[in-house]
Amino acid sequence: MMPLGGDDGALPAELRRRVHDAAQAELRRVPIATPWQRQAGRAVAAVLAFSALALLVCVIAGIGPGARVGDKAALLGVLLAAQAVGIWSIAAPFSRRRLGAAVASAVVAGLAVALARAGSSTGAGSSPDWLCSVSHLAVDVVPAGVALWLLRGGAWHPLRAVAAGLAAGTVGLLVGEIGCERGVVHVLVYHLGFWLVAAAGFLLATRRVRPRSFAP
Amino acid sequence: MRPLAGDVSPLAPVKASDDVLMARFCRGDEAAFEVLYARYAGVVFGFLNRMLHDQAGAEDTLQATFLSFVRSRGRYEAGTSVRGWLFAIAANAGRDALRRRKARREDLADPDSADVPADAAAAPDPGLARDIEVAFAALPAAEREAIILHKICGFSFEEIAGSLGITATAAKVRAHRGYQRLRLLLGETPEVQDHAKEGLT
């Protein structure tokens, strides 16, 4: 242990060499850095493509008729935009403003989903209510994996983790919007409520995950 | 060391600015990395040593810091202070190490468990030096970081703000609170205060 007023350059030679060799080996492994913008662009494209695929599967399987997709185009656009902003912000270097915008866009998307169902009564479905939450979870796995991979690329921060969890969960909201016609109470509890719980779970789960890098 | 493309002398990068070196490093230039490493490895180790109050932990965290520096150079935004960015990585790695250590239920603030530096024991007043070390280790990590970066590494509050992702005002508040807490921990006698200031600078 170095005294508080000690020499900053007192780095043991063996340690200096060990750390240097490890860093140099890493540099030789990947000599050219990929700019974060390119990485973020790829991640956004991957998640949006997955969302489009999920919608396509819903339409083909008859879960959400193509006409319904057309009717809800504006709402789906808001959800896709929130997804893109969220994924971009967690791939980018840490910025409270950028992450704040991501969380705000997710909140706007959530409110839009709730308002779109406002006034509609709770219709009885043939399947149990919780099935919507399970479906939500199932389609969120892939975007959550992308979000986790991006999160591990930088130092963990609660705001990044919340933005990541919300962005990944919007895919579930998107599919729920097409595949479920139940009323506002069901959407508030089993869609939006579950979305928030899943984001909180993502926050807690990622806290213990060791990042690949501690960069901001 | 491999000469830099376009440089007349292989010694030229030693005089290059951090920004120039970082740009070359991002393009995979090992020589640029060598210079940045030589410039900052020691001071980052000093920062981590003081932050973690644990030699072995500081060694591991130094390696994590420089591995992150290499892996994440694509996240560096041109125009930002290289030193500030590197210390941001070190601070994040240090905080992670502290969090993991806390999770292992090791109490850093416990005077009985705090490491006593050999140099402190050899100081003119080893008891006081030990008190300062223990009081410093008992500070919350955020306050300790602000004091180390400001008082020991010579960062301005604006630079600290950039490194820690906070505002300059918040950095000042953290340092101020840290000094207040140190005063409380060390007692209010002028003699102790003078020694503490010397110890920190």
Side-chain angles (χ1 to χ4, degrees):
Chain A
M1 168 66 72
M2 187 186 297
L4 291 174
D7 175 20
D8 282 334
L11 176 62
E14 193 276 329
L15 175 65
R16 180 182 287 272
R17 192 169 44 249
R18 176 159 56 90
V19 173
H20 170 268
D21 290 350
Q24 196 183 46
E26 186 67 23
L27 182 58
R28 285 180 181 162
R29 199 176 64 81
V30 186
I32 310 293
T34 307
W36 69 263
Q37 293 91 339
R38 193 179 304 163
Q39 198 177 51
R42 285 175 188 159
V44 168
V47 173
L48 290 182
F50 180 77
S51 295
L53 181 70
L55 283 180
L56 190 68
V57 168
C58 282
V59 171
I60 291 171
I63 300 168
R68 197 188 298 166
V69 176
D71 292 346
K72 297 195 171 187
L75 181 56
L76 298 183
V78 170
L79 286 167
L80 289 171
Q83 219 171 75
V85 172
I87 294 293
W88 182 272
S89 73
I90 57 170
F94 182 83
S95 154
R96 280 179 201 279
R97 195 173 297 175
R98 210 159 16 209
L99 290 166
V103 172
S105 65
V107 169
V108 167
L111 285 174
V113 167
L115 288 173
R117 298 285 175 109
S120 63
S121 59
T122 308
S126 54
S127 55
D129 284 324
W130 54 262
L131 198 62
C132 282
S133 300
V134 173
S135 312
H136 198 303
L137 189 65
V139 291
D140 285 350
V141 168
V142 171
V146 173
L148 180 63
W149 182 76
L150 291 173
L151 264 190
R152 289 192 63 232
W156 188 89
H157 189 281
L159 196 53
R160 276 187 84 214
V162 166
L166 291 175
T170 51
V171 182
L173 285 184
L174 195 92
V175 171
E177 207 40 49
I178 294 303
C180 173
E181 285 185 285
R182 291 180 186 174
V184 66
V185 176
H186 169 85
V187 167
L188 285 176
V189 176
Y190 294 96
H191 292 227
L192 290 169
F194 182 78
W195 176 55
L196 295 176
V197 169
F202 191 82
L203 169 77
L204 294 175
T206 56
R207 187 171 169 75
R208 298 270 169 222
V209 176
R210 193 173 174 82
R212 286 192 310 277
S213 162
F214 291 99
Chain B
M1 184 184 295
R2 193 157 52 81
L4 291 167
D7 283 331
V8 176
S9 158
L11 294 175
V14 176
K15 293 176 186 171
S17 72
D18 284 357
D19 292 345
V20 170
L21 291 168
M22 193 66 193
R24 292 175 180 177
F25 168 46
C26 288
R27 293 195 296 269
D29 193 318
E30 282 184 33
F33 169 72
E34 303 282 351
V35 180
L36 287 170
Y37 182 77
R39 211 171 267 181
Y40 292 116
V43 75
V44 169
F45 182 62
F47 167 71
L48 291 171
N49 219 342
R50 290 177 179 110
M51 187 177 167
L52 300 177
H53 214 251
D54 162 29
Q55 175 98 21
E59 291 182 3
D60 291 343
T61 312
L62 180 73
Q63 178 150 330
T65 298
F66 276 96
L67 282 176
S68 298
F69 185 60
V70 173
R71 282 178 190 151
S72 298
R73 60 199 189 282
R75 290 172 75 86
Y76 170 78
E77 294 183 291
T80 352
S81 155
V82 176
R83 184 175 76 143
W85 193 68
L86 178 58
F87 272 85
I89 296 174
N92 287 336
R95 251 175 265 142
D96 184 75
L98 286 174
R99 197 163 47 221
R100 285 172 199 283
R101 192 159 61 183
K102 196 174 176 186
R104 291 197 303 266
R105 299 180 185 281
E106 285 183 21
D107 187 4
L108 283 174
D110 179 2
D112 293 333
S113 69
D115 293 335
V116 183
D119 291 356
D125 186 348
L128 182 59
R130 187 185 191 282
D131 288 348
I132 295 171
E133 289 286 341
V134 170
F136 201 64
L139 291 181
E143 293 169 9
R144 196 160 61 224
E145 277 168 23
I147 291 178
I148 297 169
L149 289 172
H150 182 59
K151 203 76 180 174
I152 299 167
C153 300
F155 276 44
S156 67
F157 284 115
E158 284 70 25
E159 281 182 296
I160 297 173
S163 289
L164 302 182
I166 54 177
T167 62
T169 310
K172 277 182 199 168
V173 169
R174 283 187 188 182
H176 179 69
R177 284 187 184 153
Y179 288 127
Q180 273 187 327
R181 209 182 296 267
L182 268 182
R183 269 195 283 276
L184 282 172
L185 289 167
L186 291 170
E188 292 291 349
T189 63
E191 188 195 4
V192 170
Q193 292 302 315
D194 290 345
H195 278 84
K197 277 183 188 169
E198 284 166 19
L200 284 171
T201 52

